[in-house]
Amino acid sequence: MPLTSHEVRFSLPHIEVAGKAWGEPGGLPVIALHGWLDNAATFDRVAPALEGVHLVALDLPGHGLSGHMPATGYSLWQQAASVLQVAEDLGWERFALLGHSMGAIISGILAGSLPERIIGAAMIDGLMPFTSEADDAPRQMARFFKSSLQLGSKRKPIYDSADKAISARVLGGTTPISREAAGCLVERGLMPHDGGWTWRTDPQLMLPSPLRLTQRHAVSFIENISAPACLVLANQGVMHKHPEVLDRIDAFEHLQVHRIDGGHHLHLEAQAPEVAAILKDFYTSLS
């Protein structure tokens, strides 16, 4: 029988974090992390199949039903720190990870920097962040400053129905997504406003990163992963737009790599059963 979910909330020292949980205490503890501008509902089609797993999927700060960070912007390491605080709240000294896209990158950072706490990490169409070298730092910081100054003048769009918001996500997303998959994410990502609907998402998430890791920084985190690690790679996903990253993946011999035909959100699309089967086998091997 497929597992059913329930809502969870965590009162962290600096922010309220919401999420969805599947499974019962006693199962393999797994924290799941969604992609940029998505939310915990991104795992709605794979989580119910993960028997023997106690999965807690978070709305990362600034996303979904979680609170927003102060006006200092967001970084991968800030988000990773929030994940660790959730693990502390749950009493999980050691736990496994499941990440999609940005969530996969955060999983790699956590698994590489705190290997003693991570039982295993499964990552879906994401591994390393966008990088730039030291010489690019002034230009990257300038982009952040200029965008920060313009942020206050921007207004969120208002839709007169949730259906129109779904259409906007399908047509305006950075990666192709079906209407059904978009509907899962939009339902958790909207709030009523001025007689219509608008996004809950923190506008600060649209700011460019003030600093990026160098290529060597990014690679070092993945090289330092000692726990079992699994990468589900979408053959038509975003990583295939970056051949330099794909070349690196082949060099990481400690990664289990599964290549599947499908787009960036393949875990929410028709390929979800295939992705769930890979994840189930991976987590079973950790138990």
Side-chain angles (χ1 to χ4, degrees), residues 246-267:
L246 293 180
D247 291 342
R248 284 286 186 181
I249 289 171
D250 293 332
F252 295 133
E253 295 181 356
H254 60 309
L255 284 181
Q256 304 172 26
V257 181
H258 303 266
R259 290 175 167 84
I260 299 177
D261 283 335
H264 187 52
H265 285 84
L266 76 170
H267 61 300

